[in-house]
Amino acid sequence: MSVLITFDLDNTLWDVAPVIMRAEYAMESWFEERFPGFSHQHSTLAREALRNNILSTKPELAYNLTAVRLAVYKLALKQFGLPSEEADSVAGAALAHFCEWRQKVDLYPHVVDVLEVLRQDYALAVITNGNADVFHPYVGLGQYFDFAIRADEVGVAKPDPSVFMIAARNAGVDISELIHIGDHPTDDVFGSSNAGAKSVWFNRHGAQRWSDDWGGRSHAEIHSLLELPTVIQSLLP
């Protein structure tokens, strides 16, 4: 039996909050060096308001965090006074700078050890709604994964079942042969289970209690990534 193990990234292989915080600080400095006063006029809070306005008029962008950020930068730069063509060009450069910082993650303990073990017996892949690039040198995990499905690249996001179907199809396995690991009760657990795959809820340190409002339970729950090899084996026929 062929088995595909897919992983969420943010808050499954690393804590995303400090990554985004560092990246936002880096962007404030980037903008301020080039356009003094920009960061004061367009603080993180102000850019969040722009983001909400953009999504209210273009809800179809909700799955594409990269496109939304680019649109925010363009609008903010135009409001700051840059001509449209220059604003578009600068926004593209700003996005590239952000994406570089976005990859500077600090892996949770045991991530590499567990992937080393799993890679011996299973095909591994990524399914993420974020814009982290698992093959980027800063992340340093590309050698363990066969491919990555990113919402901003395929135009569909978890918990939509089709994103899991895409992963299964890429690996040449039936959806019933896919086991997805992630921290999010809806995007990861409900999404993969609803698609017909098996789900493993990564409830780090057992810090959360399952809420009935989240829907059906996962096929398994782990509190440490070290539990994964044994749990995956238990889910196989």
Side-chain angles (χ1 to χ4, degrees), residues 1-5 172-179 196-198 236:
M1 176 183 181
S2 300
V3 177
L4 174 65
I5 310 298
V173 302
D174 187 81
I175 191 64
S176 64
E177 299 170 320
L178 188 154
I179 301 174
K198 293 183 176 67
L236 300 178

Side-chain angles (χ1 to χ4, degrees), residues 78-199:
K78 289 173 185 176
Q79 289 182 354
F80 189 69
L82 270 66
S84 292
E85 187 173 335
E86 183 181 357
D88 291 351
S89 175
V90 172
L95 181 67
H97 189 68
F98 172 84
C99 288
E100 192 78 358
W101 275 88
R102 175 66 172 89
Q103 315 310 323
K104 297 181 180 182
V105 303
D106 297 313
L107 300 175
Y108 284 144
H110 313 302
V111 166
V112 171
D113 297 334
V114 170
L115 293 178
E116 286 275 10
V117 171
L118 295 177
R119 185 62 175 157
Q120 305 307 310
D121 299 310
Y122 313 107
L124 307 183
V126 166
I127 303 178
T128 178
N129 286 356
N131 46 19
D133 178 5
V134 76
F135 297 104
H136 194 285
Y138 287 160
V139 179
L141 297 178
Q143 67 269 35
Y144 301 110
F145 294 102
D146 294 332
F147 60 88
I149 304 296
R150 283 175 43 170
D152 62 348
E153 294 177 343
V154 299
V156 64
K158 299 177 293 185
D160 192 308
S162 61
V163 75
F164 299 96
M165 297 290 189
I166 292 171
R169 189 163 58 248
N170 277 11
V173 302
D174 187 81
I175 191 64
S176 64
E177 299 170 320
L178 188 154
I179 301 174
H180 182 69
I181 296 94
D183 70 291
H184 199 285
T186 302
D187 291 349
D188 294 309
V189 174
F190 172 76
S192 57
S193 298
N194 192 41
K198 293 183 176 67
S199 60

Side-chain angles (χ1 to χ4, degrees), residues 199-210 217-224 227 231 235:
S199 60
V200 177
W201 182 36
F202 180 39
N203 179 16
R204 193 166 185 247
H205 302 315
Q208 298 186 73
R209 291 185 180 275
W210 189 268
R217 296 294 296 264
S218 60
H219 294 82
E221 176 181 337
I222 60 172
H223 300 162
S224 166
E227 301 171 56
V231 166
L235 294 176

